[in-house]
Structures are given as C-alpha cells and as structure tokens.
C-alpha cells in the first residue's frame, strides 16, 4: 500500500512514524487507519527497527480524533467495521515486539487519545490537550478507550473524562498518570527520540519479553503473572544477547546487542 498520509524515517534503530495530515488535525480516516496498519506491521518485521516514536505533523494536533466528517455518513454496519478497523490498529501497537512511544505534540482527542493510550508510554508537549469528546457528538469512545483509560488511571478519573468530554492540560494528564513527562514543544521530539535510541541500544529481546510480560501479566492473576515472568526470564538465558550483556559487564565494555 502506498503511504500518502504517513511519513517514516529510520535512524539508529528508531523509526519516527508521523501522521501527516495537519490540515485536518491528523484526524483518523479509513485510509490513514489502513496505512497505519500496513506501516506498523512492516516496522514490527523490520530488524533495523528496535523502537518506534509516533507523532502528528504540524504544531496543533497529535490526532484530533477519528474523522467526524467520514463517520457522520456511516451506517451502523459501517461504524461497526470502522470501530473494528481502529481497534485492530490499537491492538497491533500493543502486540508489537518493539516499544512504541507516543510524542503528543498537540490535541490528542477521541481516537487520537486512544492511539496514544495504545502506545507503551506517552511524552507530551506543554501544548498537548487530552480528552474524549465523543459524548458531545452523541457517541462513545470506540477504539479501546473505555478499556485502556480505566486500566491506566482507574475508573473514577476515566469516568469523569469520558462522561464530560472535557480536555485535560498536559500537566493535569501527567498528574493523572496518562503522561510520563511533559516537555517544551521544541524539546518533545528530541527527548522522545533520545529515549527511543536509549531503548534501541539495550537488549532487544529483553525489551520484547519485558513488554510481553507486562502486557500479558495485566490480564492474569498475580501468581500466573509471576510464573509467566519466570518462564520468559529463563528463555532469555538461551539468547546471545544475554551472553553479550553479562559478558560485556564482566569485561567492562559496552555491550553490542544483536537481537538474537
Ligand atoms: N474529524 C474531522 N475533521 C477534523 C477533526 C476530526 N476529528 N478535528 C478537526 N478537524 C478539521 C476541522 O473540521 C477543520 O477543517 P476545515 O478547515 O475543513 O473546517 C480543521 O480540522 C481545523 O479544525 P478547527 O478549525 O476546528 O481548529 P480549531 O483550532 O478551532 O479547533 C479542535 C481544534 C479543538 C481539535 C477542534 O477541531 C475539534 O474539536 N475537533 C474535533 C475533536 C473531536 O471531537 N474528536 C473526537 C472525534 S470522535 C472519535 O474520535 C471517536 C473514535 C472512535 C471511533 C469509533 C467508530 C465506531
């Protein structure tokens, strides 16, 4: 699929994936969702990519939601299909073997906030705004927001956001645990890329398995989660990365991980 509304730039093991439709605040239409699905699938398979940063083009929006103009004409069946398509993209991010950092540069509303929440963590610019305005349109979140937000910040704060549609500032979103760190607009992307590069230099398989243990552990009871963690921990001792990481420590040199 030709990517017309996405930009991908890969350096030092990090892919910067930019949704590039600033005229419409990077709103997610069917085409962009399809492109995201293709791009994320490709990045997951690309051995040159060890971490991904996802952002929006322009200085106003990360993603201002699903495309209201496209949705306004949908039948119930089409809306269901559209919801499933968006959910596939969110699940794809969650299932990626590489970490994905959302660099939220402006509005992250509705489907845009859902996209950010599907990432492994969020860095934000001071200009970012977070909200679920769906109820003001007579609909509800449909790309996983009712599931991911309460798991992240608890049901009470999620209820308030989803029932009122009000927007949070970046500082408030950070206080509430949605955002890991807030930066000036100029600092945001360099900081997100620096963090992604730091991750890219660590043991790739270790990061992959840690992401797996955290994501799957959240859906398990604690004892099963502990057992799962121990299994993955053991598997890592069959990798060259474990030998390289521990060998480098003992030999007092920098490890060069191969992701094997
Ligand atoms: N969809 C389509 N177009 C949009 C969207 C959007 N979500 N957001 C902005 N745009 C367009 C505007 O229509 C406008 O285009 P035009 O110039 O052609 O009229 C352009 O972007 C610029 O927008 P504004 O002039 O409104 O810019 P402002 O700076 O005044 O305001 C806002 C910025 C506050 C972001 C404002 O545009 C806004 O409120 N946008 C809508 C936000 C919203 O309600 N988002 C939630 C959408 S619903 C959703 O995401 C559901 C997800 C799950 C779907 C599941 C399907 C089953």
């Amino acid at each position: 699929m030709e990517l017309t509304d996405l930009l991908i730039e890969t350096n030092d093991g990090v892919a910067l994936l930019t949704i590039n439709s600033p005229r419409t605040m990077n709103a997610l239409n069917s085409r962009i969702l399809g492109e995201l699905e293709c791009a994320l699938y490709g990045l997951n398979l690309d051995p040159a990519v060890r971490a991904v940063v996802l952002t929006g083009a322009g200085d106003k929006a990360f993603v201002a939601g699903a495309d209201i103009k496209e949705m306004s004409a949908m039948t119930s069946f089409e809306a269901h299909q559209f919801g499933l398509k968006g959910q596939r993209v969110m699940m794809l991010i969650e299932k990626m073997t590489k970490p994905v950092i959302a660099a939220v540069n402006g509005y992250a509303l509705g489907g845009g906030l859902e996209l950010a929440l599907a990432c492994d963590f969020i860095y934000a610019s001071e200009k970012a705004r977070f909200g679920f305005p769906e109820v003001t349109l007579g609909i509800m979140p449909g790309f996983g927001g009712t599931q991911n937000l309460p798991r992240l910040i608890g049901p009470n704060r999620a209820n308030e956001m989803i029932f009122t549609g009000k927007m949070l500032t970046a500082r408030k979103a950070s206080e509430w645990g949605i955002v890991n760190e807030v930066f000036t607009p100029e600092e945001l992307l360099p900081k997100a890329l620096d963090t992604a590069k730091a991750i890219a230099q660590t043991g790739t398989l270790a990061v992959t398995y840690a992401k797996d243990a955290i994501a799957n552990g959240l859906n398990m009871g604690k004892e099963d989660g502990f057992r799962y963690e121990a299994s993955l921990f053991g598997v890592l001792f069959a990798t060259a990365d474990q030998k390289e990481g521990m060998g480098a420590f003992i030999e007092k040199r920098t490890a060069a991980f191969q992701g094997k």
Side-chain angles (χ1 to χ4, degrees):
M1 181 179 200
E2 194 200 349
L3 302 182
T4 58
D5 293 324
L6 287 187
L7 304 171
I8 303 177
E9 202 185 320
T10 302
N11 285 305
D12 302 328
V14 175
L16 174 62
L17 178 56
T18 306
I19 302 175
N20 186 28
S21 183
R23 204 185 49 76
T24 55
M25 303 261 171
N26 303 317
L28 300 174
N29 56 29
S30 302
R31 164 138 204 118
I32 294 180
L33 286 173
E35 289 191 18
L36 276 171
E37 207 173 340
C38 280
L40 291 164
Y41 196 81
L43 293 174
N44 200 36
L45 292 177
D46 185 346
V49 174
R50 294 179 171 198
V52 177
V53 173
L54 176 61
T55 196
D59 59 357
K60 282 195 148 182
F62 172 71
V63 170
D67 188 326
I68 299 170
K69 289 171 191 160
E70 183 181 358
M71 282 190 298
S72 67
M74 283 179 186
T75 62
S76 174
F77 174 77
E78 287 164 346
H80 181 231
Q81 294 302 308
F82 186 66
L84 292 177
K85 186 171 186 149
Q87 288 179 350
R88 270 203 310 278
V89 171
M90 309 303 149
M91 292 303 284
L92 197 53
I93 294 175
E94 291 181 25
K95 299 277 176 209
M96 273 181 85
T97 59
K98 305 152 192 210
V100 184
I101 303 172
V104 175
N105 49 311
Y107 292 109
L109 302 176
L113 177 49
E114 290 170 311
L115 186 65
L117 290 171
C119 296
D120 294 295
F121 57 89
I122 302 174
Y123 280 176
S125 136
E126 288 159 347
K127 284 171 57 182
R129 296 290 178 272
F130 297 82
F132 277 120
E134 281 88 339
V135 290
T136 67
L137 298 165
I139 59 169
M140 60 182 275
F143 292 163
T146 61
Q147 304 307 303
N148 283 337
L149 188 65
R151 280 176 169 80
L152 184 66
I153 64 172
N156 292 24
R157 285 173 165 173
N159 291 343
E160 187 179 342
M161 284 183 75
I162 292 170
F163 300 167
T164 64
K166 77 175 182 188
M167 285 188 217
L168 302 186
T169 61
R171 297 268 166 223
K172 189 78 178 175
S174 172
E175 265 172 55
W176 280 20
I178 296 173
V179 165
N180 278 19
E181 214 165 333
V182 180
F183 299 100
T184 63
E186 299 72 35
E187 278 179 326
L188 173 66
L189 209 48
K191 292 283 186 189
L193 290 168
D194 280 353
T195 299
K197 276 177 200 160
I199 293 171
Q201 282 161 17
T202 64
T204 314
L205 296 175
V207 173
T208 297
Y209 278 28
K211 175 168 172 168
D212 184 338
I214 293 165
N216 285 305
L218 284 170
N219 297 323
M220 293 178 189
K222 197 164 164 179
E223 276 194 37
D224 286 339
F226 269 54
R227 251 192 302 278
Y228 190 56
E229 182 190 70
S231 305
L232 296 182
F233 184 86
V235 170
L236 284 172
F237 280 71
T239 67
D241 276 3
Q242 176 266 335
K243 294 187 178 34
E244 170 63 13
M246 292 193 171
F249 175 81
I250 289 163
E251 292 158 20
K252 299 191 188 301
R253 59 177 174 82
T254 306
F257 293 108
Q258 303 290 322
K260 290 180 188 162

